[in-house]
Amino acid sequence: MDQNTRNDLLQLFREKLNSAMTYYLETCTRCGICTEACHVYASMGQVKHISAYRHEIVRRIYKKYFKARGKVWPSVGEAKELNETALEELYESAYSCTGCRRCMVYCPFGIDTQMIMSIAKLLLIGAHSEPEILTLLADTSIEKGKSLDLFKESFMEGVKKLEKDVVKKWKMEAGETAIPMDVVGADLLFVALAGAHSIIPTAAVFNAAGEHWTLSFFEAVNFGAFVGDPTRTQLILDRILNEAKRLKVKEVCICECGTAFRVMKQLAADQPFKVSSITEVHARYIKSGRIKLDPSKLNGPVTYHDPCQIARNGGVFDEPRYILKHLTNDFREMSPEPKYNWCCGGGGGLVALGEDTLDFRMKSARVKADQIKTTGVTTLVTACENCHTQLNNLNDHYQLGVNVKFLTSMVADALMQ
Amino acid sequence: MDALYNFVLIYMVYFSVAVFLVGTTLRLVKIFRKPKQATSLQIYPEKRAKWLGAIYDTFLFPSARKHKPVLWVFLIVFHACLLLLIIGHLELFEEFKIFQLIPHEVFLGNGFLGLIFCVTLLYFLFRRLLSPVRELSVPEDYYILILLFLIAIFGSQMDWARSWYGYEEMVVGDYRTYLLNLLTLKPEVPYNVLIAGHSFMLVVHVFFANLFLIFFPFSQSMHSFLSLPMNKLRRG
Ligand code: SF4
Ligand code: SF4
């Protein structure tokens, strides 16, 4: 690596060094309390997957270039040069961490591994060594935001075709629109995922609840966040923020996508609208009697997988359980304390990387598969697209024999007219 | 010999205390003045008493208790001893009424506190030598433990060594004179301290303590100050 590249990368590193990040880099005592926290280590037993080992890979570079010690006495902290080998280590570390932050619950100081890994991810982008597909997907999303007029018509046509399926789930009066779009002054803007499976059931529930809603032109998923690029993350988010402001909505509701929800909740904290997850909105409808669910639709024991970004990192624990109480009387908790729930093993962009990561995803989530098996359920519910894909893969791989379902679809299927 | 003793007991002490105070303050100011994290780093579920929770997490390490109970016992004993030893050393400057709730001479437990402290350090060292903590550790982690061990073993056993001389030499009064001299910038080690048979123990104790103080601001020991703000971030 030439000096110029190194300097550019160190500049990126420097930009990440706010107070919180500096606490995290200065403090780890390498006590090993976090050892068993990571599902990857718990499943595969390799020291390189212990969260403290992961941050030490970033920290060694920090010690080399951002601490006086790195010049005077580098060996005391095993400070390391930033070079090609270091980049390889950073890649391995960052793209085997799902950013689930389970280790943060274990650490006596609360060191945030996901935060530290964001340095690794940013350095990889700077060195053009990140998984290209993620950047490509992020750029496509950004492009879509810039040229809304070009695809608007075709998108609306596509959505129109879904309306008959929505009506099948919830009958409507003649003249009512099953999937409203571009409605100025709507109460709620729903940001879905690309795909009918995300739009149809939710639309039916909104209509059943008599919600004054509108569908966003953009998909919720934020590939910028997966690849750890703050600029792209913000640009992707801005598309939705601008739409919400243009339509003057009171609430932005994010579909079943953990990362999209957390990013929106965090980065849109001081916007003129509130941010909710679809699970919170559904629980609200049930509570206020706006929708009624038929509990007889579901047979057999049910468990719920808390998506890390929605539960431990987003604060939505009670709502899915409240909804499930209206759908089944055989609900079983997966983890005695939901904040300790194992990650499904698919976060941090790993599922988005598809087949390339499949083998690792299966091996690294053995503990998750065991956890599911122990519950003895037949239906496994979750509220995140990523988790859903990963749990389905686990179901096949470990032959768990469960039916993996989205909470939203279950609500839609149980609607009582 | 006197020159060496004077160097360690006076000039090196001044130097290391200065590095410790200035280094720690400057580093903390620098860290705290960095831009704040714009987004929340909270872990849910949220509890109402955030500051109280953060203080609880910082001083009682509930996560350690839950996941590594044996280590937790040693951690608590280690930190409690550390606190008591610091208080004990303050009493070598002068008597504090507030510490005299239970009347005592000097709060150093006749060296036993230091011994317990050493046992916890040996445990930490031993733990570090075993996988997987061994793979996580870097030299600094060992150096700090070894330094603390040397400081404590020589410091605590001075009381025992004093018994070789029938408790006549180097009494609390001598320490007070020595430390007062340091405080009032009269660089002079009292005669009694220099000639005692076990003076070398004091010199070794102070020497390693000096090294520790010099290293402190640049080491992971800064967690003493950073733990609370970090735990607060986690609590939201
Ligand atoms: S628990 Fe925290 S301080 Fe201890 S090794 Fe893990 S990250 Fe470091
Ligand atoms: S954030 Fe999750 S995946 Fe990453 S090191 Fe921590 S526990 Fe492991």
Side-chain angles (χ1 to χ4, degrees), chain A residues 24 27-35 50-53 55-56 59 103-104 106-113 116, chain B residues 63 128 133 136 230:
Chain A
Y24 295 151
T27 306
C28 178
T29 54
R30 291 159 288 270
C31 64
I33 291 174
C34 58
T35 303
I50 296 176
S51 74
Y53 195 94
H55 12 108
E56 208 51 33
R59 195 175 284 117
C103 47
M104 189 168 171
Y106 277 63
C107 175
F109 308 115
I111 295 181
D112 185 342
T113 309
I116 299 183
Chain B
S63 68
R128 267 205 198 285
V133 189
L136 298 178
M230 290 168 81

Tab-separated table of all heavy atoms in Angstrom, chain A residues 24 27-35 50-53 55-56 59 103-104 106-113 116, chain B residues 63 128 133 136 230, ligand 1:
chain	number	residue	atom	x	y	z
A	24	TYR	N	-14.475	3.700	23.172
A	24	TYR	CA	-14.462	2.280	22.846
A	24	TYR	C	-13.053	1.794	22.488
A	24	TYR	O	-12.674	0.684	22.813
A	24	TYR	CB	-15.405	1.984	21.670
A	24	TYR	CG	-16.867	2.232	21.980
A	24	TYR	CD1	-17.767	2.608	20.989
A	24	TYR	CD2	-17.352	2.092	23.274
A	24	TYR	CE1	-19.110	2.830	21.271
A	24	TYR	CE2	-18.688	2.323	23.568
A	24	TYR	CZ	-19.565	2.693	22.556
A	24	TYR	OH	-20.879	2.913	22.841
A	27	THR	N	-10.642	1.749	25.777
A	27	THR	CA	-10.997	1.139	27.048
A	27	THR	C	-10.866	-0.364	27.190
A	27	THR	O	-10.632	-0.834	28.294
A	27	THR	CB	-12.437	1.523	27.402
A	27	THR	OG1	-12.511	2.926	27.349
A	27	THR	CG2	-12.811	1.074	28.773
A	28	CYS	N	-11.040	-1.126	26.156
A	28	CYS	CA	-11.146	-2.586	26.332
A	28	CYS	C	-9.986	-3.112	27.197
A	28	CYS	O	-8.822	-2.826	26.943
A	28	CYS	CB	-11.138	-3.273	24.979
A	28	CYS	SG	-11.211	-5.058	25.075
A	29	THR	N	-10.331	-3.875	28.228
A	29	THR	CA	-9.296	-4.424	29.097
A	29	THR	C	-8.957	-5.861	28.707
A	29	THR	O	-8.221	-6.535	29.420
A	29	THR	CB	-9.761	-4.416	30.571
A	29	THR	OG1	-11.005	-5.096	30.623
A	29	THR	CG2	-9.930	-3.023	31.105
A	30	ARG	N	-9.557	-6.305	27.626
A	30	ARG	CA	-9.342	-7.673	27.127
A	30	ARG	C	-9.574	-8.693	28.248
A	30	ARG	O	-8.787	-9.597	28.464
A	30	ARG	CB	-7.947	-7.813	26.487
A	30	ARG	CG	-7.862	-7.029	25.175
A	30	ARG	CD	-6.479	-6.704	24.755
A	30	ARG	NE	-5.881	-5.689	25.597
A	30	ARG	CZ	-5.948	-4.381	25.376
A	30	ARG	NH1	-6.562	-3.932	24.328
A	30	ARG	NH2	-5.403	-3.511	26.212
A	31	CYS	N	-10.700	-8.460	28.938
A	31	CYS	CA	-11.025	-9.312	30.074
A	31	CYS	C	-11.688	-10.611	29.625
A	31	CYS	O	-11.748	-11.578	30.374
A	31	CYS	CB	-11.960	-8.568	31.028
A	31	CYS	SG	-13.562	-8.192	30.288
A	32	GLY	N	-12.223	-10.605	28.416
A	32	GLY	CA	-12.818	-11.831	27.883
A	32	GLY	C	-14.224	-12.127	28.374
A	32	GLY	O	-14.747	-13.207	28.125
A	33	ILE	N	-14.844	-11.161	29.049
A	33	ILE	CA	-16.215	-11.413	29.518
A	33	ILE	C	-17.161	-11.579	28.324
A	33	ILE	O	-18.148	-12.293	28.389
A	33	ILE	CB	-16.668	-10.279	30.468
A	33	ILE	CG1	-15.865	-10.363	31.765
A	33	ILE	CG2	-18.167	-10.350	30.770
A	33	ILE	CD1	-16.096	-9.246	32.741
A	34	CYS	N	-16.792	-10.943	27.211
A	34	CYS	CA	-17.654	-11.011	26.023
A	34	CYS	C	-17.451	-12.302	25.222
A	34	CYS	O	-18.091	-12.479	24.186
A	34	CYS	CB	-17.390	-9.808	25.131
A	34	CYS	SG	-15.661	-9.703	24.633
A	35	THR	N	-16.579	-13.173	25.677
A	35	THR	CA	-16.217	-14.341	24.865
A	35	THR	C	-17.413	-15.107	24.305
A	35	THR	O	-17.518	-15.321	23.097
A	35	THR	CB	-15.345	-15.317	25.690
A	35	THR	OG1	-14.211	-14.600	26.139
A	35	THR	CG2	-14.887	-16.498	24.859
A	50	ILE	N	-14.297	-13.776	18.607
A	50	ILE	CA	-14.672	-13.149	19.880
A	50	ILE	C	-14.712	-11.642	19.625
A	50	ILE	O	-13.830	-11.110	18.941
A	50	ILE	CB	-13.645	-13.476	20.976
A	50	ILE	CG1	-13.660	-14.980	21.252
A	50	ILE	CG2	-13.939	-12.703	22.253
A	50	ILE	CD1	-12.616	-15.431	22.256
A	51	SER	N	-15.708	-10.982	20.180
A	51	SER	CA	-15.874	-9.575	19.804
A	51	SER	C	-14.623	-8.750	20.136
A	51	SER	O	-14.200	-7.917	19.342
A	51	SER	CB	-17.116	-8.989	20.438
A	51	SER	OG	-16.909	-8.784	21.792
A	52	ALA	N	-13.997	-9.007	21.292
A	52	ALA	CA	-12.818	-8.213	21.657
A	52	ALA	C	-11.689	-8.430	20.650
A	52	ALA	O	-10.913	-7.525	20.357
A	52	ALA	CB	-12.347	-8.576	23.058
A	53	TYR	N	-11.588	-9.630	20.111
A	53	TYR	CA	-10.555	-9.907	19.108
A	53	TYR	C	-10.843	-9.109	17.849
A	53	TYR	O	-9.933	-8.572	17.220
A	53	TYR	CB	-10.534	-11.411	18.791
A	53	TYR	CG	-9.289	-11.844	18.044
A	53	TYR	CD1	-8.196	-12.340	18.742
A	53	TYR	CD2	-9.203	-11.738	16.657
A	53	TYR	CE1	-7.048	-12.735	18.078
A	53	TYR	CE2	-8.064	-12.125	15.981
A	53	TYR	CZ	-6.981	-12.625	16.696
A	53	TYR	OH	-5.852	-13.003	16.031
A	55	HIS	N	-12.423	-6.197	17.703
A	55	HIS	CA	-12.057	-4.780	17.794
A	55	HIS	C	-10.574	-4.564	17.918
A	55	HIS	O	-10.080	-3.535	17.545
A	55	HIS	CB	-12.795	-3.905	18.804
A	55	HIS	CG	-13.633	-4.485	19.831
A	55	HIS	ND1	-13.291	-4.518	21.140
A	55	HIS	CD2	-14.862	-4.987	19.757
A	55	HIS	CE1	-14.275	-5.013	21.823
A	55	HIS	NE2	-15.230	-5.322	21.033
A	56	GLU	N	-9.894	-5.553	18.441
A	56	GLU	CA	-8.446	-5.384	18.574
A	56	GLU	C	-7.805	-5.206	17.189
A	56	GLU	O	-6.785	-4.534	17.058
A	56	GLU	CB	-7.874	-6.602	19.307
A	56	GLU	CG	-6.611	-6.354	20.103
A	56	GLU	CD	-6.633	-5.175	21.064
A	56	GLU	OE1	-7.677	-4.848	21.647
A	56	GLU	OE2	-5.563	-4.541	21.214
A	59	ARG	N	-8.312	-1.710	16.667
A	59	ARG	CA	-7.621	-0.962	17.724
A	59	ARG	C	-6.107	-0.930	17.510
A	59	ARG	O	-5.452	0.049	17.838
A	59	ARG	CB	-7.970	-1.584	19.078
A	59	ARG	CG	-7.614	-0.716	20.267
A	59	ARG	CD	-8.090	-1.308	21.574
A	59	ARG	NE	-9.521	-1.145	21.794
A	59	ARG	CZ	-10.376	-2.147	21.890
A	59	ARG	NH1	-9.956	-3.388	21.782
A	59	ARG	NH2	-11.651	-1.922	22.094
A	103	CYS	N	-22.849	-8.670	22.099
A	103	CYS	CA	-21.643	-8.577	22.919
A	103	CYS	C	-21.648	-7.308	23.777
A	103	CYS	O	-21.048	-7.263	24.840
A	103	CYS	CB	-20.401	-8.620	22.045
A	103	CYS	SG	-20.466	-7.539	20.623
A	104	MET	N	-22.349	-6.297	23.300
A	104	MET	CA	-22.397	-5.037	24.044
A	104	MET	C	-23.138	-5.218	25.375
A	104	MET	O	-22.877	-4.520	26.340
A	104	MET	CB	-23.106	-3.998	23.186
A	104	MET	CG	-23.036	-2.608	23.719
A	104	MET	SD	-23.592	-1.454	22.461
A	104	MET	CE	-23.683	0.048	23.431
A	106	TYR	N	-22.898	-7.906	27.172
A	106	TYR	CA	-21.966	-8.630	28.044
A	106	TYR	C	-20.862	-7.736	28.604
A	106	TYR	O	-20.428	-7.902	29.734
A	106	TYR	CB	-21.289	-9.754	27.254
A	106	TYR	CG	-22.076	-11.037	27.152
A	106	TYR	CD1	-23.303	-11.065	26.502
A	106	TYR	CD2	-21.582	-12.225	27.683
A	106	TYR	CE1	-24.016	-12.247	26.389
A	106	TYR	CE2	-22.290	-13.407	27.571
A	106	TYR	CZ	-23.498	-13.417	26.923
A	106	TYR	OH	-24.194	-14.589	26.812
A	107	CYS	N	-20.358	-6.840	27.773
A	107	CYS	CA	-19.171	-6.075	28.159
A	107	CYS	C	-19.452	-5.169	29.362
A	107	CYS	O	-20.428	-4.433	29.361
A	107	CYS	CB	-18.721	-5.217	26.970
A	107	CYS	SG	-17.364	-4.130	27.390
A	108	PRO	N	-18.615	-5.218	30.396
A	108	PRO	CA	-18.869	-4.376	31.572
A	108	PRO	C	-18.815	-2.880	31.254
A	108	PRO	O	-19.343	-2.070	32.014
A	108	PRO	CB	-17.764	-4.775	32.556
A	108	PRO	CG	-16.770	-5.548	31.774
A	108	PRO	CD	-17.469	-6.111	30.579
A	109	PHE	N	-18.180	-2.538	30.151
A	109	PHE	CA	-18.151	-1.115	29.770
A	109	PHE	C	-19.207	-0.790	28.714
A	109	PHE	O	-19.494	0.367	28.454
A	109	PHE	CB	-16.778	-0.734	29.212
A	109	PHE	CG	-15.647	-1.119	30.111
A	109	PHE	CD1	-14.720	-2.064	29.714
A	109	PHE	CD2	-15.527	-0.553	31.370
A	109	PHE	CE1	-13.688	-2.442	30.546
A	109	PHE	CE2	-14.499	-0.921	32.209
A	109	PHE	CZ	-13.565	-1.873	31.797
A	110	GLY	N	-19.720	-1.813	28.072
A	110	GLY	CA	-20.685	-1.578	26.995
A	110	GLY	C	-20.019	-1.145	25.709
A	110	GLY	O	-20.494	-0.237	25.026
A	111	ILE	N	-18.910	-1.789	25.372
A	111	ILE	CA	-18.235	-1.443	24.114
A	111	ILE	C	-19.081	-1.940	22.939
A	111	ILE	O	-19.540	-3.079	22.936
A	111	ILE	CB	-16.820	-2.054	24.082
A	111	ILE	CG1	-15.976	-1.419	25.188
A	111	ILE	CG2	-16.163	-1.827	22.716
A	111	ILE	CD1	-14.553	-1.927	25.256
A	112	ASP	N	-19.258	-1.054	21.963
A	112	ASP	CA	-20.142	-1.334	20.837
A	112	ASP	C	-19.321	-1.858	19.652
A	112	ASP	O	-18.671	-1.084	18.943
A	112	ASP	CB	-20.879	-0.039	20.473
A	112	ASP	CG	-21.919	-0.253	19.384
A	112	ASP	OD1	-21.850	-1.272	18.681
A	112	ASP	OD2	-22.800	0.615	19.256
A	113	THR	N	-19.350	-3.155	19.462
A	113	THR	CA	-18.546	-3.756	18.390
A	113	THR	C	-19.025	-3.305	17.009
A	113	THR	O	-18.214	-3.097	16.106
A	113	THR	CB	-18.620	-5.295	18.471
A	113	THR	OG1	-18.310	-5.678	19.807
A	113	THR	CG2	-17.635	-5.951	17.533
A	116	ILE	N	-17.314	-0.133	16.201
A	116	ILE	CA	-15.903	-0.295	15.853
A	116	ILE	C	-15.780	-0.927	14.466
A	116	ILE	O	-14.937	-0.535	13.664
A	116	ILE	CB	-15.173	-1.126	16.930
A	116	ILE	CG1	-15.252	-0.387	18.265
A	116	ILE	CG2	-13.715	-1.356	16.540
A	116	ILE	CD1	-14.517	-1.055	19.394
B	63	SER	N	-22.927	-7.296	34.552
B	63	SER	CA	-22.806	-8.223	33.421
B	63	SER	C	-21.700	-9.239	33.699
B	63	SER	O	-21.811	-10.405	33.334
B	63	SER	CB	-22.550	-7.476	32.113
B	63	SER	OG	-21.283	-6.886	32.127
B	128	ARG	N	-5.178	-14.769	32.279
B	128	ARG	CA	-4.651	-14.269	31.008
B	128	ARG	C	-3.771	-15.286	30.294
B	128	ARG	O	-3.587	-15.210	29.095
B	128	ARG	CB	-3.822	-13.004	31.245
B	128	ARG	CG	-4.630	-11.785	31.099
B	128	ARG	CD	-3.906	-10.555	30.736
B	128	ARG	NE	-4.780	-9.439	31.061
B	128	ARG	CZ	-5.848	-9.082	30.360
B	128	ARG	NH1	-6.168	-9.723	29.270
B	128	ARG	NH2	-6.608	-8.080	30.741
B	133	VAL	N	-8.452	-15.977	26.729
B	133	VAL	CA	-8.035	-14.621	27.121
B	133	VAL	C	-6.581	-14.378	26.695
B	133	VAL	O	-6.186	-13.264	26.387
B	133	VAL	CB	-8.222	-14.391	28.643
B	133	VAL	CG1	-8.001	-12.947	29.015
B	133	VAL	CG2	-9.610	-14.810	29.060
B	136	LEU	N	-6.437	-12.914	23.390
B	136	LEU	CA	-6.954	-11.540	23.350
B	136	LEU	C	-5.932	-10.550	23.899
B	136	LEU	O	-5.905	-9.386	23.521
B	136	LEU	CB	-8.237	-11.418	24.187
B	136	LEU	CG	-9.457	-12.244	23.776
B	136	LEU	CD1	-10.598	-12.012	24.767
B	136	LEU	CD2	-9.922	-11.881	22.373
B	230	MET	N	-19.295	5.527	29.146
B	230	MET	CA	-19.636	4.458	28.203
B	230	MET	C	-20.891	3.725	28.643
B	230	MET	O	-21.756	3.411	27.841
B	230	MET	CB	-18.490	3.447	28.127
B	230	MET	CG	-17.273	3.993	27.455
B	230	MET	SD	-15.908	2.888	27.706
B	230	MET	CE	-16.257	1.712	26.469
C	1	SF4	S1	-15.987	-7.629	27.735
C	1	SF4	FE1	-15.565	-5.561	26.977
C	1	SF4	S2	-13.659	-4.989	27.990
C	1	SF4	FE2	-13.846	-7.192	28.217
C	1	SF4	S3	-12.725	-8.023	26.475
C	1	SF4	FE3	-14.859	-7.871	25.851
C	1	SF4	S4	-15.010	-5.883	24.858
C	1	SF4	FE4	-13.100	-5.871	26.033
